[in-house]
Amino acid sequence: MDYFERFAIPHPSPAIYASMVAIGLTVIAIIVGLTYFKKWGYLWREWLTTVDHKRIGIMYLISAILMLFRGGADAIMMRAQMAVPDNKLLDAQHYNEVFTTHGTVMIIFMAMPFIMAFMNYIVPLQIGARDVAFPRLNALSFWLFFMGAMLLNISFVIGGSPDSGWTNYFPLANNEFSPSVGTNYYLFALQISGLGTLITGINMIVTILKMRAPGMTLMKMPMFTWSSFVANVIIVFAFPVLTVALTMGTFDRLLATNFFTTSDGGMDMLWANFFWVWGHPEVYILILPAFGIYSEIISTFSGRNLYGYKSMVGSMVIISFLSFLVWTHHFFTMGQGALTNSIFSITTMAIAIPTGVKIFNWLFTLWKGKIVFTTPMLYSMLFIPTFTIGGVTGVMLGMSAADYQYHNTMFLVAHFHMVIIPGVVFAMLAGLHYYFPKMFGFMLNEKIGKLTAWIIAISTLLAFMPMFFSGLDGQARRMYTYTESTGFGIWNMISFIGAIGFAIGFALIVYNVYYSIRYSPRNIGSDPWDARTLEWATPSPVPYYNFAKVPHVISTEALWDAKYNQHELFPEKYEKIHMPNNSGVPFILGCIFFAWGFSFVFSMWIPAILTTIGIFICMALRSLEKDPGHYVSVEEIKATEKKMRGVQ
Amino acid sequence: MKVDRSLPLEYSTQQNQMNILGFWVFIGAEIMLFGTLFAAYFVLGDRVGNGPTGAEIFEITPVLFETFILLTSSFTIGLGIHAMRKGYTKAMITFYVITLLLGVAFLGFEVYEFIHYVHVGAGLQTSAFTAALLTTLGTHGAHVTFGVFWGLLIVYQLIKRGLTPETANKSFIFSLYWHFLDVVWIFIFSFIYLKGMV
């Protein structure tokens, strides 16, 4: 029995047992459902083996939304625990696990795939490409991310969740203080999905540099493509640092090395440095594509081209550079000198300048525009003021002297949620409503959409504004309870109400999808928003070869020129199109990586070695394989186009 | 796939050009990876705890052998690419095989070196310094090992399929990888061994 005991949960509670049952039942339901409706073949042929960037984008999107609910459930548990003083809902250990998982899931497995979903789906369409540069690697990226996410998620029913914070600071995260396997899960889940992200970064950079339509110079790329490009450059430079840090952390835990210990020469601050050298740019990996989406939406619904295109691009490049120079502001109070703190204080506050430039550019785009208040536009309008609150409080935190007051309080929690939620989550929801018709061929209901946007925006303020006040009053973060005499009760109760608001808002989004599937009209054409960029020149949903003819571009807004300025977008004749073949290898390799990570988590060395060999065998087979892809004939293109557009 | 005969074989299709650019970007990521390892080594280099210092355990002989072998292998793979450009497939394969043999010889010396370290009490768990040292060297060594297997697959394909746009592309990318490992080694030699021995 010894062998199986290690898989047991170290701190069980009825909620976890209930989750186990729920997970078991869901898995059984999925298997039975797929078998009953005979969908296994369909699932394998059309999704698991797909190399189509659009399908991969949709899989990222679905995973991100699933993880949003997973991380959201954690958030509600936390706010419920904190809602009243001396609450007994969760114990300290359970609370540690919940906030650790919430942070990890939301950043790594919700926000990242949400961004990746849009990058994958939109970028090739915006630049007039048939696919990304390396379609198979793209599929591999997705499966690595997905398996990493699943690895972290099974931790709370097998072996125990990580509990040392999403920053996983050593030596807290070392075996001595975190004896459960939870931290191993954290290390391997991030390692596997981080590998996927790095591959995406390389893939997207090459795609954007090499596969643009004729006429599209770098300075004629749509803003979302620019933002994705900058974000992917950051990925390529930031993620290897995480890889090394996680490897060293793994060595410390599994092989008893002394990188981050406090004895035998180890240095605990090294982890903090490495983590934030990756972690701070990571914030901009998330926010820049989100800014790109806002730029697309604000320009479309103002009926104007984006104000200050060059300064938008320039500010992103500057932000990407500065993002690597500010990591130390995450530990101003951990004992470095005044000079170091001052330098990092200045670089941190300097980021406000290019960010301000972007905010003003959006405002100037709105100025004299014919503004149409659709759901995506509403999110974008709600974003500007709420995000500014988050940004300004960030400058407050950036002043290192003042930071000694706010650090480790709820003020900090409020700040980054006020940045990430309006900055990233609003953008993703705006993008979801904006690109939904392109992805699925029908629109989400506008009435429900706008109601949701208001509910989510108000919930953001309700949930996080009180934290500024309780934080300034001295409420420390990561405390699982507090006494009544502190007076934090009322603030936390308001936050809890905000959390409930979020739950209602996200439930409404699900309802909206359901409602729209049933009632939305299907004949919306290719360009329902009267948009400006290339992705709207394809039929909705997009045929798998994207563009029947290669588009020719003369400005940043090729479709707008085609619609209103007599520019001929598709001057060429039909030609046969070369497309990549589907492949099962990325999915299988992803599964092997999952087993690989799981074996290491529990220090099962024989399966660990076998899976490592399996990974290399897959790579060798891929190297030897000849895969010329296939051609789509002109007749097939014409037939497809006729079916989708009703015309030749 | 359209093949452009005016370009060198390894650049002759669009996919080939993208593969090479993609690999350069990957090398950018690898630079960050090794840069981080070096940063860790510089931070932990004199934090030896109760273990030995670098000056006490470094031996110049195997390191010099390793350096000469790896530099030579970078030269031979360069000759291999030269032969490829001239279309001499047999000469190219020969140079690739020599390169891989040199790679194996390098690994042999490195294994000897690691055994020596463990023998003199500088194992992975001894101190932060030894952990950083062995991890940095080990990461480079693992790259060379991976490269040897990768190179074997490429030689196999060259023999089986001859020189095509695809195999030329793979061979060229492999040569970039091999040169990169050589560059990393120069940094290891200068900033770990030489700096550690003085």
Side-chain angles (χ1 to χ4, degrees), chain A residues 51-336:
Chain A
V51 293
D52 182 344
H53 71 95
K54 299 180 289 297
R55 296 218 157 161
I56 290 170
I58 287 170
M59 289 195 289
Y60 268 119
L61 187 66
I62 294 168
S63 322
I65 290 172
L66 281 176
M67 287 296 112
L68 177 72
F69 284 95
R70 201 291 193 219
D74 288 332
I76 288 176
M77 284 202 290
M78 270 190 280
R79 296 275 52 94
Q81 163 67 19
M82 298 303 283
V84 288
D86 299 313
N87 200 353
K88 298 276 188 296
L89 185 66
L90 304 175
D91 58 34
Q93 171 63 25
H94 200 173
Y95 191 78
N96 289 351
E97 292 174 7
V98 168
F99 75 64
T100 301
T101 322
H102 170 74
T104 314
V105 164
M106 283 301 200
I107 297 287
I108 309 283
F109 301 119
M110 186 283 284
M112 280 302 275
F114 228 138
I115 299 285
M116 292 292 170
F118 289 111
M119 271 189 205
N120 263 289
Y121 201 96
I122 307 303
V123 167
L125 291 173
Q126 270 196 339
I127 62 174
R130 254 65 187 254
D131 207 324
V132 293
F134 313 113
R136 280 228 198 155
L137 276 182
N138 201 24
L140 178 63
S141 291
F142 170 74
W143 288 113
L144 288 178
F145 145 73
F146 185 79
M147 295 303 169
M150 290 303 109
L151 194 61
L152 189 85
N153 274 279
I154 60 163
S155 70
F156 86 113
V157 287
I158 303 175
S161 296
D163 56 2
S164 37
W166 90 277
T167 52
N168 206 46
Y169 280 139
F170 283 82
L172 172 65
N174 220 334
N175 291 327
E176 190 185 352
F177 302 108
S178 299
S180 89
V181 294
T183 306
N184 296 353
Y185 270 116
Y186 171 96
L187 293 167
F188 280 94
L190 262 66
Q191 189 72 281
I192 292 169
S193 60
L195 193 57
T197 308
L198 177 66
I199 296 172
T200 301
I202 296 169
N203 209 337
M204 285 285 159
I205 289 175
V206 179
T207 306
I208 293 170
L209 287 179
K210 284 281 187 184
M211 298 183 80
R212 297 192 308 276
M216 188 182 279
T217 59
L218 281 178
M219 290 311 276
K220 282 183 184 140
M221 293 197 304
M223 195 46 67
F224 180 66
T225 301
W226 250 117
S227 65
S228 301
F229 180 70
V230 175
N232 282 299
V233 171
I234 305 179
I235 285 176
V236 168
F237 285 102
F239 268 77
V241 181
L242 178 70
T243 304
V244 172
L246 291 172
T247 308
M248 289 177 171
T250 307
F251 279 16
D252 269 9
R253 282 184 63 88
L254 297 186
L255 304 177
T257 54
N258 294 297
F259 286 109
F260 307 128
T261 55
T262 47
S263 58
D264 291 322
M267 193 187 222
D268 46 350
M269 281 309 290
L270 190 62
W271 169 269
N273 276 289
F274 280 166
F275 184 86
W276 287 114
V277 167
W278 161 78
H280 196 84
E282 164 73 13
V283 177
Y284 294 92
I285 295 168
L286 299 176
I287 206 97
L288 290 179
F291 285 172
I293 285 183
Y294 285 131
S295 298
E296 299 294 338
I297 289 171
I298 288 174
S299 147
T300 299
F301 296 112
S302 306
R304 296 189 63 201
N305 59 350
L306 192 66
Y307 182 90
Y309 177 89
K310 282 181 187 163
S311 61
M312 278 299 208
V313 173
S315 62
M316 283 194 300
V317 174
I318 294 169
I319 289 174
S320 72
F321 179 70
L322 288 176
S323 73
F324 282 94
L325 301 181
V326 303
W327 79 89
T328 293
H329 73 215
H330 291 271
F331 38 89
F332 277 150
T333 61
M334 292 199 226
Q336 58 230 341

Side-chain angles (χ1 to χ4, degrees), chain A residues 133-134 202 206 210-211 237 240-241 248 255-259 264-267 274 578 616 619 623-624 626 631, chain B residues 1 14-15 18-19 21-22 29 32-33 36 40 43-44 47 124-125 127-128 131-132 135 146 156-157 161 170:
Chain A
F134 313 113
I202 296 169
V206 179
K210 284 281 187 184
M211 298 183 80
F237 285 102
V241 181
M248 289 177 171
L255 304 177
T257 54
N258 294 297
F259 286 109
D264 291 322
M267 193 187 222
F274 280 166
H578 181 259
F616 285 112
M619 289 166 76
S623 169
L624 295 172
K626 271 184 162 175
Y631 280 94
Chain B
M1 279 282 145
Q14 202 208 354
Q15 188 64 48
M18 291 197 295
N19 290 350
L21 178 66
M32 285 306 292
L33 183 97
T36 312
V43 170
L44 303 175
R47 300 174 71 95
L124 197 59
Q125 299 157 351
S127 67
T135 308
F146 179 81
Y156 170 79
Q157 289 174 58
R161 295 172 195 165
K170 288 181 179 183

Side-chain angles (χ1 to χ4, degrees), chain A residues 500-517:
Chain A
I500 298 293
F502 270 117
I504 295 169
F506 288 115
L508 268 178
I509 290 175
V510 177
Y511 174 70
N512 195 354
V513 173
Y514 163 79
Y515 181 91
S516 306
I517 289 174

Side-chain angles (χ1 to χ4, degrees), chain A residues 350-402:
Chain A
I351 287 196
I353 299 165
T355 313
V357 168
K358 299 182 81 68
I359 299 270
F360 281 113
N361 279 342
W362 289 316
L363 294 177
F364 282 127
T365 308
L366 294 167
W367 194 40
K368 287 190 180 170
K370 290 195 189 74
I371 298 172
V372 188
F373 269 104
T374 57
T375 309
M377 189 62 165
L378 185 58
Y379 274 112
S380 312
M381 294 300 95
L382 293 167
F383 145 74
I384 293 175
T386 25
F387 178 80
T388 307
I389 299 173
V392 168
T393 50
V395 177
M396 288 170 72
L397 285 158
M399 291 183 276
S400 59

Side-chain angles (χ1 to χ4, degrees), chain B residues 94-167:
Chain B
T94 314
F95 282 123
Y96 265 65
V97 171
I98 293 172
T99 305
L100 295 180
L101 288 175
L102 289 169
V104 173
F106 168 87
L107 287 172
F109 278 102
E110 190 153 58
V111 169
Y112 165 80
E113 196 192 333
F114 271 44
I115 292 170
H116 162 74
Y117 290 149
V118 175
H119 193 69
V120 296
L124 197 59
Q125 299 157 351
T126 309
S127 67
F129 158 69
T130 58
L133 174 73
L134 295 179
T135 308
T136 309
L137 295 179
T139 307
H140 179 264
H143 274 74
V144 176
T145 314
F146 179 81
V148 168
F149 284 104
W150 183 8
L152 281 176
L153 288 168
I154 281 172
V155 169
Y156 170 79
Q157 289 174 58
L158 282 171
I159 293 169
K160 200 96 178 163
R161 295 172 195 165
L163 211 50
T164 66
E166 215 183 6
T167 52

Side-chain angles (χ1 to χ4, degrees), chain A residues 626-647:
Chain A
K626 271 184 162 175
D627 181 33
H630 63 277
Y631 280 94
V632 189
S633 68
V634 173
E635 291 72 44
E636 195 187 331
I637 301 168
K638 280 186 177 169
T640 314
E641 289 291 302
K642 190 166 183 184
K643 205 174 93 196
M644 290 195 145
R645 290 181 191 267
V647 287

